[in-house]
Amino acid sequence: MEAPERSKEAQGEIVPLAVKEEPSSRIEVLGITKKPKEKSIEHADVLVVAGRGLKKKEDLALVEELAEALGGDVACTRPLVEAGWMDPRRQIGLSGRTVRPKLIITCGVSGAIQFVAGMEHSEEIFAINTDPKAAIFKVANYAVVGDIYEILPQLIASIKQGRKIA
């Protein structure tokens, strides 16, 4: 379909219309509920990140306990959001949030480039993974090759007892 040719002559008629009364609405505001402020991972000083290394949703409690012991917050990788284990607002990476905490501890995170792009400017990166060749170790300041199910309980206990971690 072709557009009609433009006419150089003005056409049409302007008809002034006076409005006799203000428009009204039948909507009645019954109340206002304020949305509570959410704690955002973008502003956290300490983040503990759950990755695909977690075997089941209930294991998030271990990551949450470590974050609580450190006074930090919990974040995750995309597979955990896709599995429905965590809220998308807690996801770090290109399709999630970009963070710059003072300390980030990754637990069972492989270190895919999409994830790393969202956290690589963290001050201190502490990574725990069973795979000694995991990509996360390339950006980590501290790398621990081991099982998060063995390391996290010991780490939590040491923090709670106030001991220095060797």
Side-chain angles (χ1 to χ4, degrees):
M1 192 175 206
E2 291 184 25
E5 286 192 32
R6 176 169 274 217
S7 172
K8 293 182 182 183
E9 296 176 21
Q11 294 179 349
E13 178 184 350
I14 298 175
V15 179
L17 179 63
V19 179
K20 295 178 181 156
E21 58 185 62
E22 288 288 319
S24 64
S25 172
R26 292 180 282 158
I27 298 172
E28 180 183 347
V29 177
L30 300 175
I32 297 173
T33 305
K34 289 191 176 186
K35 183 178 173 185
K37 286 196 173 190
E38 293 179 9
K39 192 174 179 185
S40 173
I41 63 171
E42 289 102 321
H43 305 296
D45 285 338
V46 176
L47 281 174
V48 181
V49 184
R52 198 185 318 225
L54 269 71
K55 296 175 185 167
K56 56 188 186 277
K57 185 176 182 176
E58 293 75 25
D59 297 340
L60 284 170
L62 198 56
V63 173
E64 290 167 352
E65 188 178 356
L66 177 58
E68 185 180 320
L70 293 168
D73 212 348
V74 177
C76 67
T77 58
R78 186 169 147 187
L80 273 66
V81 170
E82 290 175 347
W85 291 9
M86 290 193 75
D87 189 298
R89 292 173 288 196
R90 299 235 165 247
Q91 180 184 332
I92 295 174
L94 291 178
S95 56
R97 313 282 172 154
T98 299
V99 297
R100 287 182 165 207
K102 291 179 181 173
L103 172 65
I104 189 166
I105 301 174
T106 63
C107 305
V109 174
S110 65
I113 191 70
Q114 295 87 348
F115 171 78
V116 171
M119 54 69 73
E120 66 186 334
H121 296 294
S122 302
E123 285 184 36
E124 298 293 332
I125 302 169
F126 186 96
I128 306 167
N129 198 301
T130 55
D131 180 7
K133 295 181 181 176
I136 193 69
F137 292 146
K138 292 177 184 171
V139 294
N141 300 98
Y142 304 96
V144 176
V145 177
D147 187 349
I148 57 175
Y149 293 98
E150 295 173 11
I151 295 167
L152 291 188
Q154 294 174 26
L155 189 55
I156 292 165
S158 293
I159 292 168
K160 287 184 175 180
Q161 292 174 4
R163 293 194 315 233
K164 288 189 177 181
I165 301 164

